[in-house]
Amino acid sequence: MQIEQLKPIIEAALLAATQPMTVQQLGELFNEADEVSREQIAKALEALAEDCAGRGIELKEVASGFRYQVRQDVHPWISRMWTERPSRYSRALLETLALIAYRQPITRPEIEQIRGVVVSSNIIKTMEEREWIRVVGYRDVPGKPALFGTTRAFLDYFNLKSLDQLPPLSEIRDLEDPQLRFEPDPLPARVVRDLPIDPDEELLHEHDAVDTTADEYATAAATEALAAPESGDAGSATSQPAETPTTTADEAANPAADAEPDAAEQDPEEYRA
């Protein structure tokens, strides 16, 4: 049978089937008299996939076989035909499913150790009811925990042919939201002052130099302030903040003792005038 004769038969079979069909299942549609081989069916499938170029549907090979499906480009409009809203899954469920898909076979305690929280029994039950995961064995440790792995239904649901088509973890880290990262940001490095090579050494020396200059200036100013009453230097006295004078009982009784010599000598002249 020619390829052009096989194409409409295979196309109709895929559209009529409720599940993806393999090459072997498509070959069961023909008997020995038709003389149809698997190579001819594979070529017919390739031709049908090429015919879908530029159309709203595509021929996709998933884990369970071949199927016709709506292209992702037109899916937002086609989804309006269904009144039932798509299911929304929690982040805990998706994280658990991702760990099973990437690290299978894996036990429930191992998942809890990685995530740092207890895995809810409802999450495991939901994924088993959807036939996304199944028990593939038991770990040979005390307690015999079950080992979980993904199924073909999981691959079909996520439009995958095999686990090799899962996105690499490096790409997932690049697309990860910074606000949702699992690993905390590293703490800033502390500057050790006693290291032989310190990038901030010059700044620290400058700061110490400023502090030393300020201390020397304060010491010199304090020395001048203490020496001012003894030397009678008016310039040094005016350079310091004015202090409130304290008057003793003897100074109150004899106010003339506090007057400067020049002022005392000028008083007779004023009286003469």
Side-chain angles (χ1 to χ4, degrees), residues 120-189:
S120 174
S121 300
N122 293 331
I123 292 178
I124 302 297
K125 182 179 179 182
T126 299
M127 291 188 293
E128 288 180 337
E129 289 178 350
R130 291 186 174 273
E131 298 182 354
W132 288 351
I133 63 173
R134 63 186 180 93
V135 177
V136 296
Y138 296 90
R139 183 78 71 189
D140 190 12
V141 295
K144 298 290 184 179
L147 292 167
F148 293 102
T150 56
T151 63
R152 285 189 176 183
F154 162 79
L155 298 175
D156 293 344
Y157 184 85
F158 289 97
N159 204 22
L160 301 173
K161 180 181 178 181
S162 64
L163 292 174
D164 296 335
Q165 294 183 350
L166 287 172
L169 292 177
S170 58
E171 296 181 3
I172 296 177
R173 293 191 183 98
D174 295 338
L175 297 175
E176 187 179 7
D177 187 354
Q179 297 180 356
L180 301 178
R181 285 183 294 184
F182 296 105
E183 299 180 358
D185 294 335
L187 296 176

Side-chain angles (χ1 to χ4, degrees), residues 216-232:
E216 293 176 353
Y217 177 81
T219 304
T223 303
E224 293 177 359
L226 293 175
E230 298 178 357
S231 61

Side-chain angles (χ1 to χ4, degrees), residues 19-30 38 41 64-65:
Q19 298 293 335
M21 297 185 66
T22 63
V23 175
Q24 181 179 357
Q25 292 173 339
L26 292 172
E28 295 175 356
L29 300 176
F30 308 94
R38 292 190 176 184
I41 296 176
S64 300

Side-chain angles (χ1 to χ4, degrees), residues 70 75 78-85:
V70 177
H75 183 268
I78 305 303
S79 61
R80 299 171 185 172
M81 297 173 55
W82 302 298
T83 57
E84 182 180 359
R85 299 182 61 182

